[in-house]
Structure formats: C-alpha cells, structure tokens
C-alpha cells in the first residue's frame, strides 16, 4: 500500500501558474483569481503520481507534500 | 574577492544583439555558448547590458524584484508607450494592487467559460484556410486568431483585428533594418494611434454602455485602493494586454507549426493521440520560448560571479533558461510527454504572465483543431518561413503546403 500524501502550497511563493491544478485536478482546485486551493488528499496511485508531478512542475517550487496521518 | 568579474571584464564580453535580423536561426547556439562560457555575459549593444542564460540565475532575477526592477523592461528603453505599461513596469507594492484587479479578468474559470467562443473563432478561421492548398499560416491563422479572441474579450469589433495587428507589429518589431532614430519615430506613431483607438473605445463605452461582463467594462468599474482607475491607467493596461497577448500567441503557434512540419514523426504522434495536447503545449512553450524581457538593477549585487551595479540593465531570455541542460534533460529535443517541465515561458515570480491561462487555452484549442483537421502539412521548399528575433521572437511569414508531408 502506497503512503497517502497531503499537499500544501506556500502561498507566499505561489504565483498562480496553475500547473498544480492542471496536473492534479483531484488534489487542487483554483479560486477566482487563479490561485490554488487544496481540495483533497492523494490516496490512489494515480493521485499520488499526479501530486508528485505537480510538485516537480511548479515553476515556483511552492508545492510540498507530507505523509497523511 | 578577486574572482568577481564586472562589466569591463574582457572574458564576459559578447556582441549579442537581441534585435539582430541575422541571429534568429542560430540563437539557441548563441545562448548555449554563452551559458557554458560566461553565463552572465555583457553586450555593448543599446548602451550596454548584461545577458543571463542559466535557468537558476534567471529564476533568481525573477524572484527578486526588489533588486531587479522591471521598470526597464525593454532594450532600447521604449517601444512607443507613454508612461509605464501596467503592470509589467510597476514594482511591488503597487504591482500587487494592479494584479488584484487584473488576475480575475483572466482567471482559469473565466477562461474555461470562453472555450466554446474561442473554439468557434478557431474553427471558422481553419475552415477558410483549409479551402486552400497553399497558405501563409501566419496570415491565415496565427495572427488573426489571438487578435479576434482579444477583441471578443474586450467586447470590441472583431473587424478591427488588422489594425491592432499592424500596431502591435510596429511596436514589437519597429521597422526592420531602419536606424534606431527612425525606429523610435515609427513606434511612437503607432503608440499614439493605439492610445487614440483605445480612448475611443473607452469613451464609447462610457457614453453608450455595453456588456457588463467584458474586460473594458470591468476595468472602467475597477478601483485602485478606493479610487477609480484613471483613463491613463486603463490605456496602459490595455496596451500591455495587446503587446503581451497578440504577438506571443501568434509566434508560439507559428513556431510550433514550423517544428511539426519539419518533424512528421512528432506530428503523427500528436495527431494519433490528441490527449497529448496539454503536455505538448507545455513542451512547445519550453522549446520555443519567445519572450526575452529586461530588468534594471536597483542596488549593487553579484549574480553568478559577476558584479552588477545599480542602474545596469540585464536581459533574461527565457529561451535560454528553458534549454539549460542543468535543468532539462536533452533540452534541444522535443518530448511531447516531457516530465517534469517547470519551464519559464510565462516567466515566474510576481510578473508571471497574467494571460497564461488564456494563452494555454488558445494554444490547446488551436493544437487540437489544427491537428484534427490538418494531419499533414509541410513547409514550402521554394519559400521558407521567415522568423525574427527581438524581445518577442516571432514568425513573419510561414508558407505552408496542406495535405502533404515530409
Ligand atoms: C504564448 C503566449 C504568451 C507568452 C509566451 C507570454 C509570456 C509572458 C511572460 C514571459 C511574461 C513575464 C514577463 C516578465 O517577467 O518580464 C508575461 C507577462 C504578461 N503577459 Fe503574457 N504571454 C503570453 C500570452 C499572454 C496573453 C494572451 C495575455 C493577455 C492579456 C498576456 C498578458 C500579459 C501581461 C498583462 C503580463 C504582465 C504581467 C505582470 O507584469 O504582472 N500574455 N507574459
Ligand atoms: S503551480 Fe505552483 S505557482 Fe502555480 S498555482 Fe500551483 S503552486 Fe502556485
């Protein structure tokens, strides 16, 4: 069983590129100005790999993950 | 600190001209040579300026607007604007107030609602284009598509597109081959005509009203810390939407079609699986990153071993950042499924392209509709495409033969 992951966004660093909610739509949504909202925990393989891609594709390095407890 | 170089160090001098008509095809080699020899180089052009070519250095510049101000965004300094283009030439804290007004205009949600309208503009242009066997893709589609979308967003007449395109071309490119003075004069003239046109659109709206939801009206209704925006501010916001939103998308579409015409195996991969479009859009943005802004140094600082002084100018070509082998494996190869791809085609930091959600949507719709309807196309061997450098690298003409492949 893969470890479930929580996502968090450092909103001081995030500039609203939207790569996170494009790559991991089940984990992130966006607000009316285009900034991300965390809406879920990554539990399935697909969600975990999407979340990992969101971390790696964010041009501001604003997304981080931690084990969901 | 004996090893810190500065503007006069001979080993960092490179005669790099961002506006040179001769360098366009070899520019990635030029960037690669600078990156491996002197990643922060100095050019004597336009009064002297630095050029950064590493991803990490460019990223540092973007993320420190206090040290690297965007009040100077162009070399030479003016493209014909009167006052500052908003918000690109505005530094924090006012920058964030303007962005607070502008971000919602181009939010992903608002853009998503526009998709059917954008798709209709694309398909209509493509239907006309596909009636021919030989076309100029820039004239038939790449230039027209983003300008019609822009006019639709503004709530203005779509038939004004040719005028907008001409002004934008002049302001971005100047008059190729002309002297610096002559260039300045034609840009100023174009600038004045654009302001007059925008002012007329705003006046008309104030008198006659219109769609409460379009961008013109939202800007008229917006407030900056409690006061209404002045007409001067609105004009300089609109000018930047035009400069930022037309040439960029046009270039991106045309660069992509050139690449796909020349690489039928990559094109067939895309045609065969249109689900690849979102990552293909990102990869082509990385591979051909058109924008090369400048920054003005506000306090003495050292960037990657080079001393910069207050008042110095530095160019940060995103095309150089996005081909940096330290950041991207095989950077000169197109991989439609590239992962990860944290490219800087839309910049980063506080000036991150506010139109990026719109641009991505336009590019996605265009990539899909083009490759759905036009699986085969090739360049015309007798009439090759013409690109130009400048601070927004673009394509002037792109003769295309439809229905044939390399
Ligand atoms: C493929 C298309 C596009 C590309 C590659 C692109 C690229 C960029 C880049 C790199 C920047 C940051 C410049 C800097 O940091 O100095 C920027 C800023 C900007 N772009 Fe775009 N852009 C595109 C489309 C658009 C569109 C469609 C609009 C529509 C309005 C737009 C409006 C703007 C504005 C207003 C800014 C200034 C943001 C600020 O200063 O806060 N862009 N763009
Ligand atoms: S990709 Fe990064 S910068 Fe962009 S919205 Fe997501 S967290 Fe913010």
């Amino acid at each position: 069983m893969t470890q479930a992951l929580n996502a968090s966004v450092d909103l001081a660093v995030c500039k609203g590129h939207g790569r996170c909610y494009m790559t991991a739509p089940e984990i992130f949504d966006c607000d009316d100005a285009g900034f991300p909202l965390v809406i879920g925990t990554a539990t399935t393989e697909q969600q975990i790999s999407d979340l990992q891609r969101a971390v790696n594709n964010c041009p501001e390095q604003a997304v981080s993950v931690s084990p969901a407890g | 600190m004996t090893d810190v170089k500065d503007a006069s160090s001979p080993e960092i001098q490179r005669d790099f001209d961002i506006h040179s008509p001769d360098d366009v095809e070899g520019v990635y080699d030029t960037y690669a040579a600078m990156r491996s020899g002197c990643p922060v180089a100095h050019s004597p052009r336009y009064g002297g300026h630095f050029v950064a070519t590493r991803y990490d250095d460019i990223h540092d510049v973007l993320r420190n607007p206090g040290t690297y101000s965007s009040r100077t965004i162009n070399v030479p300094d003016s493209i014909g604007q009167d006052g500052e283009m908003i918000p690109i030439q505005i530094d924090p804290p006012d920058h964030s107030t303007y962005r607070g007004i502008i971000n919602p205009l181009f939010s992903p949600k608002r853009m998503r609602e526009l998709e059917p309208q954008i798709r209709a503009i694309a398909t209509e242009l493509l239907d006309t284009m596909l009636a021919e066997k030989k076309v100029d893709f820039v004239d038939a589609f790449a230039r027209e598509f983003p300008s019609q979308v822009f006019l639709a967003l503004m709530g203005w007449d779509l038939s004004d597109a040719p005028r907008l395109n001409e002004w934008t071309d002049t302001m971005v490119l100047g008059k190729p081959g002309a002297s610096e003075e002559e260039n300045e004069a034609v840009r100023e003239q174009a600038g004045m005509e654009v302001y007059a046109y925008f002012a007329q659109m705003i006046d008309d709206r104030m008198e006659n009203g219109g769609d409460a939801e379009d961008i013109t009206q939202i800007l008229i209704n917006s407030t900056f810390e409690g006061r209404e925006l002045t007409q001067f501010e609105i004009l300089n916001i609109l000018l930047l939407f035009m400069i930022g939103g037309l040439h960029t998308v046009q270039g991106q579409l045309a660069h992509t079609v050139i690449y796909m015409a020349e690489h039928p195996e990559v094109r067939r991969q895309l045609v065969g699986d249109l689900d690849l479009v979102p990552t293909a859009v990102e990869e082509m943005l990385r591979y051909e990153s058109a924008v090369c802004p400048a920054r003005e140094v506000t306090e003495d600082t050292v960037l990657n071993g080079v001393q910069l002084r207050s008042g110095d100018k530095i160019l940060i070509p995103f095309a150089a950042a996005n081909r940096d082998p330290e950041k991207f494996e095989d950077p000169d190869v197109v991989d439609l499924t590239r992962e990860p791809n944290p490219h800087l085609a839309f910049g980063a930091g506080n000036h991150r392209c506010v139109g990026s959600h719109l641009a991505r949507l336009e590019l996605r719709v265009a990539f899909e509709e083009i490759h759905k309807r036009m699986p085969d196309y090739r360049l015309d061997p007798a009439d090759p495409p013409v690109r130009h450098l400048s601070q927004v690298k673009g394509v002037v003409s792109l003769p295309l033969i439809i229905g044939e492949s390399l």
Side-chain angles (χ1 to χ4, degrees):
Chain A
M1 185 60 209
T2 337
Q3 170 67 54
L5 296 174
N6 280 329
S8 73
V9 175
D10 180 350
L11 285 173
V13 177
C14 166
K15 298 295 170 190
H17 291 253
R19 298 292 294 279
C20 54
Y21 47 82
M22 286 191 288
T23 39
E26 293 177 13
I27 312 300
F28 304 97
D29 194 4
C30 66
D31 70 12
D32 287 340
F35 291 98
L37 304 163
V38 176
I39 53 166
T41 299
T43 52
T44 66
E45 294 280 348
Q46 181 68 45
Q47 289 168 338
I48 290 168
S49 102
D50 286 353
L51 176 54
Q52 210 55 58
R53 288 171 60 218
V55 171
N56 294 332
N57 280 292
C58 170
E60 312 287 353
Q61 291 149 21
V63 184
S64 56
V65 297
S66 57
Chain B
M1 295 248 290
T2 49
D3 57 345
V4 173
K5 304 180 187 79
D6 67 19
S8 62
S9 305
E11 61 272 40
I12 72 162
Q13 304 305 317
R14 292 290 184 279
D15 187 19
F16 176 72
D17 180 357
I18 189 65
H19 296 288
S20 166
D22 308 324
D23 280 350
V24 59
E25 295 303 332
V27 72
Y28 291 107
D29 295 336
T30 307
Y31 289 145
M34 284 200 265
R35 201 189 294 110
S36 56
C38 53
V40 179
H42 187 267
S43 162
R45 300 286 175 155
Y46 310 106
H49 62 79
F50 292 90
V51 190
T53 43
R54 282 181 69 237
Y55 184 101
D56 286 345
D57 294 342
I58 290 176
H59 207 244
D60 276 355
V61 169
L62 289 173
R63 301 232 281 187
N64 289 294
T67 307
Y68 299 97
S69 162
S70 58
R71 64 183 176 231
T72 298
I73 191 78
N74 292 113
V75 294
D77 212 1
S78 170
I79 60 168
Q81 75 271 36
D82 177 14
E84 284 134 352
M85 287 186 285
I86 301 172
I88 192 75
Q89 291 185 276
I90 307 293
D91 286 321
D94 284 356
H95 177 262
S96 4
T97 314
Y98 284 120
R99 280 296 288 251
I101 299 171
I102 296 168
N103 280 339
L105 300 178
F106 296 99
S107 77
K109 289 198 171 137
R110 218 174 117 86
M111 295 303 109
R112 224 172 289 151
E113 287 163 18
L114 290 168
E115 181 169 336
Q117 201 182 351
I118 291 177
R119 200 172 289 275
I121 293 176
T123 52
E124 193 181 327
L125 287 169
L126 288 173
D127 285 345
T128 310
M129 181 178 101
L130 288 169
E132 312 283 329
K133 185 169 160 29
K134 239 174 114 171
V135 298
D136 185 317
F137 180 74
V138 173
D139 290 339
F141 188 81
R143 186 187 292 120
E144 206 58 23
F145 174 53
S147 32
Q148 290 197 13
V149 171
F150 173 85
L151 288 163
L153 280 174
M154 293 300 144
W156 302 344
D157 200 338
L158 296 204
S159 63
D160 287 336
R163 290 206 281 169
L164 281 189
N165 290 326
E166 199 181 315
W167 291 321
T168 313
D169 278 347
T170 306
M171 294 186 82
V172 175
L173 295 178
K175 193 170 157 196
S179 70
E180 238 178 88
E181 295 76 47
E182 210 181 326
N183 260 311
E184 202 176 310
V186 292
R187 285 179 153 143
E188 225 165 81
Q189 179 61 31
M192 270 157 38
E193 289 172 23
V194 181
Y195 284 117
Y197 169 78
F198 288 164
Q200 192 196 330
M201 295 299 119
I202 297 170
D203 288 347
D204 176 59
R205 188 54 67 89
M206 304 268 222
E207 271 169 41
N208 303 320
D211 182 349
E213 289 289 307
D214 67 26
I215 290 187
T216 311
Q217 196 62 44
I218 298 177
L219 285 175
I220 291 173
N221 297 345
S222 293
T223 53
F224 185 101
E225 288 168 354
R227 62 161 178 84
E228 286 179 3
L229 292 178
T230 64
Q231 189 187 59
F232 189 64
E233 286 173 301
I234 298 181
L235 293 178
N236 273 322
I237 293 174
L238 293 176
L239 179 72
L240 184 59
F241 288 172
M242 186 187 89
I243 297 288
L246 303 193
H247 233 260
T248 45
V249 177
Q250 171 189 329
Q252 190 61 37
L253 287 167
H255 291 305
T256 301
V257 164
I258 294 175
Y259 180 86
M260 293 293 170
E262 293 283 87
H263 297 83
E265 68 295 348
V266 180
R267 190 182 71 241
R268 287 191 192 113
Q269 187 191 3
L270 187 63
V271 169
D273 182 3
L274 288 175
D275 288 345
L276 289 177
V277 164
T279 50
V281 165
E282 299 306 323
E283 177 65 345
M284 294 315 294
L285 282 163
R286 181 196 69 83
Y287 186 75
E288 284 287 2
S289 305
V291 180
C292 173
R295 292 291 189 266
E296 182 178 330
V297 179
T298 60
E299 57 193 3
D300 293 3
T301 188
V302 174
L303 180 66
N304 197 0
V306 175
Q307 177 71 55
L308 310 181
R309 306 236 177 248
S310 176
D312 286 346
K313 314 280 161 61
I314 182 165
L315 282 180
I316 44 172
F318 297 132
N322 289 339
R323 298 271 192 122
D324 183 348
E326 269 182 70
K327 191 71 184 181
F328 299 98
E329 204 174 306
D330 293 331
D332 297 322
V333 172
V334 166
D335 172 359
L336 299 184
T337 62
R338 181 178 288 276
E339 184 59 48
N341 187 2
H343 66 75
L344 303 179
F346 292 116
N350 58 335
H351 293 283
R352 186 273 305 166
C353 177
V354 75
S356 64
H357 307 294
L358 171 61
R360 284 193 163 106
L361 179 57
E362 291 182 276
L363 294 171
R364 259 185 241 152
V365 165
F367 277 34
E368 279 172 24
E369 296 300 332
I370 289 170
H371 293 99
K372 243 190 251 171
R373 285 143 195 268
M374 192 173 78
D376 285 320
Y377 52 88
R378 60 177 298 183
L379 302 183
D380 182 349
D383 200 358
V386 179
R387 306 198 212 223
H388 64 77
L389 212 48
S390 87
Q391 289 187 263
V392 185
K393 182 184 171 190
V395 180
V396 183
S397 68
L398 171 42
L400 208 61
I401 301 174
I402 297 172
E404 289 180 23
S405 177
L406 263 196

